[in-house]
Each structure stands twice: as structure tokens, then as C-alpha cells.
Amino acid sequence: MLKEGKLVDSFNLVFAVKACFGLSLFQGAKLFHSLAIKLRLEGDPYVAPALMNVYTELGSLEEAHKVFEEVPLKNSVIWGVMIKGYLNFSEEFGVFELFSRMRRSGFELDPFVVEGLIQACGNVYAGKEGKTFHGLCIKKNFIDSNFFLQTSLVDMYMKCGFLDFALKLFEEISYRDVVVWSAIIAGFARNGRALESISMFRQMLADSVTPNSVTFASIVLACSSLGSLKQGRSIHGYMIRNGVELDVKNYTSFIDMYAKCGCIVTAYRVFCQIPEKNVFSWSTMINGFGMHGLCAEALNLFYEMRSVNQLPNSVTFVSVLSACSHSGRIEEGWSHFKSMSRDYGITPVEEHYACMVDLLGRAGKIDEALSFINNMPTEPGASAWGALLGACRIHRRAELAEEVAKKLLPLESDQSGVYVMLSNIYADVGMWEMVKKTRLKMCEKGLHKIVGFTSIEIEEKLYLFSSEDRFAYKNTQIESLWNSLKERMRELGYVPDLRFVLHDVDDEVKQEVLCGHSEKLAIVFGLLNSGEGMPIRITKNMRVCGDCHTASKFISLITRRKIIMRDVKRFHHVQDGVCSCGDYW
């Protein structure tokens, strides 16, 4: 066109610039940018946003910003495209700076611009500011029939933890596409409400909405959180049956799901199917081996990762150090911790230090762990002090636990967990007056203990048990089977460990309390309701009780059933009276 001497106008330039985006021609975009400057069209209301779009999409926020600054009279499209550009680069605070400039210039907000601002609020969890923009939308009547804005609001509220408010908005949307469904499903999954996430996914399918990659990643996360193997397998099967092409993110999420549902062999099988593995897929598989107590396999996979020239990252080393901690491999742990900065230039952060404290603490090297914390180059955070407090619980170091708790309380958002741990340590060593004082302090602060529960999945339905349920199972099949098992266990040498009853009551009551622990209820329920010879899979939302751990070994021996227990830290595979943890946990 130029060779023929024909006039180039803004219309032609816009199409040329868009073609550069389609062909990923960054230099071509720069060439047309130069032409726009030559023709004095760089500030054109159509050319400028096209150039800004192509620059941000092809990876240059700086060039996009140059174009933005060249526009003398900025309209809503120009402001909106620049905001979207900042969002593409996760530069949310740049978005807020643009908003300040807009206000100073007297520019009136429109739905397109507000949508970007709301997305920025969601990305940085600025719920208060997001609510302000929502109020502005209502005041200016932006929301009605604006599907994109409605979706952004739902996503923002979900990310900021206002789940019920997001759900209310979601229910008011007349047309729900896969994007808004995915936002609500992901929000529930990320915020610990996995059951609702799965329920919404089922509703979505019932409404004939086809899931996308975001939906699948979120629902698999929900299955991972619950330890819901059948649900997870069902999702995996759905994707295969419907010809959904799995990318490395999908594969990695399935590795995580199968590992967290107790199927480490299946997780590794999925890992081996990935055509091109990335650092996250390697790290996830290493972490899976670690949480199952398979430290040798985790370390071998790490060495294999290096042999194929895949560089580890910070997350990889958290997985490696965690694996060492679960198996008590102190020398290997130290070696890999030192290797991070020496061999890979990775500066250890709080999580790595916490792993080392956990490694030392579990092994009984409490004083060494304390010294390690005191010599950290940065101020120790909640993770490091929390790991040391956990070690004090394992090794019954009540006096040190008091000092650690003092350090931890100002740092920990969940203060109830600290007080409960401290109370449990006091109870473990028989300091009942201190137990009372600690619990009284919790009451004074309005803190409540998180209820411990154990879940088990039977026929795609999840059943929850808590120790408070023990009275509900009086005179039921569960009580009958448990009493039968208990007698046989005692014949084989089982002695209830009364230390795990954290109340100052007589021994007879303590034994009764132990019988009603949620892990035991779930295991017995599983024995009654699962097929002969099938493994019993249970998930505890806290650390597995020591007495329940012992009882599970006797039950597995008597029933010849494998019992797979997952708690907040790791897995226990119990078979024929032996646990995979080797009683090191």
C-alpha cells in the first residue's frame, strides 16, 4: 500500500497493528508505531489503544505506557486499555496510580474503567476499596445488564473472602457463562469451602455450561482439599471422555490431587505422562512423595530433575526440605538447605527456615532449632516459631513452649491455634492449672477452638465425624463394631494412651473420650460401609491423634484392611499393623 503511494489513515493503521498482534510481530508493531508518529496519528483515539494493546499483549508495558503518555486527550478507552495493560503485568498498584491521575484530571469513570479497578482490588485482596467501587457502580447504575462488570465483582468478592456476598451477586446474574461459574467455583475452593465448590460445579454441568481450564483447576483443587478421590477421578475421567486437552497445569493439579487423596502411585503415573514437565510439576511430585514419607523417592526425583537440566526454584526446595523433615533426614536437609544459595542462587525465605526448624525439632534437637531461629538473617516469622512450638508439643517441652508462644502470638493471625497448642502441651505434662488459665485467656479474648473432624468418602458422598458425635453413635452398629474391635485389640496388647485426652478427668472417662475420637469413628464407619478388602481412606483436619494412630495399626492387623490417614502434615499408610511413617511423625 505504501509502495503504491496510497494514503494511510488511522483505519488502515489499526488493522495493520492488530495483524502484528495476531502474528506476534513485536518489531512490526514498532514499525507501525513509528509510521503513526510520522503521520501524527500516535495520539489518534483508535490507533493509540490498538498500539497499547499490542504492546502489552506482546510483553512490553513500557512501550504501551509511552503511547499512553503521547495521547493528549485521553478518553475512557485509553484509560481502560492502560489499566488492562497494568493488570496483564500484575501491576495493580500502577492501576491505582492511574485512577488517582484520572481523578485529578476530572475524568468521569465509566463501566469499562471501573471493571479494571475492581479486578485490581480483587488481585491485591483490597476488599474495602472494592466495596467502594461497587457502591459507585450502584450509584451510577453501571451494573444492570453489564455482565462483565457483574463477573468482575463476583470474582473480586471471592478473592477478598466475602463469599456469601459474592454468592448473592452471582445468584442475581441472569446469564451465567463459564467465566462467572469458574469465579464462584474457584472462590469456594480457595477459601476452604470445597463442598460448596463441588456443589456449584455440579449445578454448572446441570445448566449445560461447558467447563474451561480454570474450572477444572479449581474443582480439582476442591477435591484435593477434601481428599475426595472418587470426585477427583470423576473429574479426570470427564476431561478424558470429553476430549479435553490436558496442559501441564492440568497434569500438575491431578498429581497434587491424587497425592493428597492418598494415591501416590497414580500421582506418579500422571507425572510420567506429562510431555513437557516444568518446575512446578517436578516440585509437586517431589512434595507428593515427601508427604507420603517417601523421602528417598522424593530426593531421587530431585536428582533426576537436575539430570534433565530443569533448574529448581524456591518451591522445589520447600518440597525437598519438607520431605527430609518427614523422614528425619537431618544431614540431607542441611545439605540441600546450604545448596540453595550456594549452587542455585536462591535466597532462603521464611518457609525454608520453617522447614529446617521442623526438621531439627521433630528429631528432638530442640535447642539446635532454637539457636537456628535466633541466628536467622531476617526476623523469624510465624512459620518458624510455629514449627518450634509443634516440636515442643512432640517432645513435651512446656517451659520453652511458653516462651515460643510469646514470640508467636503477635505474629499469628490465628491466635486460637497458638493457645490451643499451648494448652495441649500443658495437658500433656499434667499442668492442669496452666491448662485452665490458657483456656480462660482464650475465652477472655473471644477466641474459639477449631473443631477437629475426620472425613471419609463413601460412594461419592462425604461423611464428617467429630469427637462430639460420639454420643450420637451409642447403641449403633458403629459402637457395636468398635467394642468388638476394642476387645480384640486389647488381647493383642493395645493400651489406650490417656495422654491424648486433654481434660483433667479420671482415667475411666479418659478411656471413654478416646473411644469417641473422630478418627476411630470414621475408620469404623468405613469398615461398615465399604467393600470387603477395600482400603479405608480418612482425612483429619488436624494432626492425627497418637492413640488413634496406634489403634489404626491394631485395626489394620485385625481386619486385614489397609488404612490411609491424611492429616494436615502428612499421610500414614497403615497395613498389617505397621505404619509407613515408622512412628516418626
Side-chain angles (χ1 to χ4, degrees), residues 212-223:
N212 63 14
S213 59
V214 176
T215 325
F216 286 124
S218 301
I219 198 64
V220 172
L221 173 63
C223 295

Side-chain angles (χ1 to χ4, degrees), residues 398-399 402 423 425-436:
E399 289 184 12
E402 289 179 359
S423 172
I425 293 169
Y426 287 139
D428 198 14
V429 296
M431 297 172 65
W432 297 110
E433 281 303 314
M434 292 305 296
V435 171
K436 290 177 184 176

Side-chain angles (χ1 to χ4, degrees), residues 127-200:
K128 183 179 177 182
E129 290 76 7
K131 280 185 174 180
T132 301
F133 288 125
H134 185 189
L136 182 67
C137 290
I138 294 170
K139 185 178 178 181
K140 291 184 173 289
N141 199 29
F142 286 164
I143 299 177
D144 291 345
S145 303
N146 191 323
F147 171 73
F148 297 106
L149 192 51
Q150 290 170 335
T151 301
S152 294
L153 282 166
V154 169
D155 186 56
M156 181 273 293
Y157 280 122
M158 274 293 183
K159 286 177 177 174
C160 295
F162 300 110
L163 309 192
D164 296 327
F165 202 60
L167 183 59
K168 184 175 181 295
L169 279 172
F170 173 80
E171 289 170 346
E172 292 171 358
I173 298 174
S174 55
Y175 169 72
R176 300 170 191 157
D177 73 350
V178 65
V179 178
V180 73
W181 275 107
S182 297
I184 206 85
I185 290 166
F188 280 129
R190 283 194 303 261
N191 285 280
R193 287 166 64 168
L195 284 171
E196 285 149 294
S197 181
I198 291 172
S199 174
M200 295 302 287

Side-chain angles (χ1 to χ4, degrees), residues 489-500:
M489 286 161 60
R490 283 177 173 162
E491 290 171 7
L492 293 171
Y494 167 70
V495 178
D497 193 338
L498 304 184
R499 290 179 305 154
F500 291 95

Side-chain angles (χ1 to χ4, degrees), residues 13 38 167 197 321 381 409 435 508 560 584:
L13 264 179
K38 185 177 179 180
L167 183 59
S197 181
L321 295 175
L409 281 168
V435 171
E508 188 176 337
R560 299 189 181 279
Y584 184 88

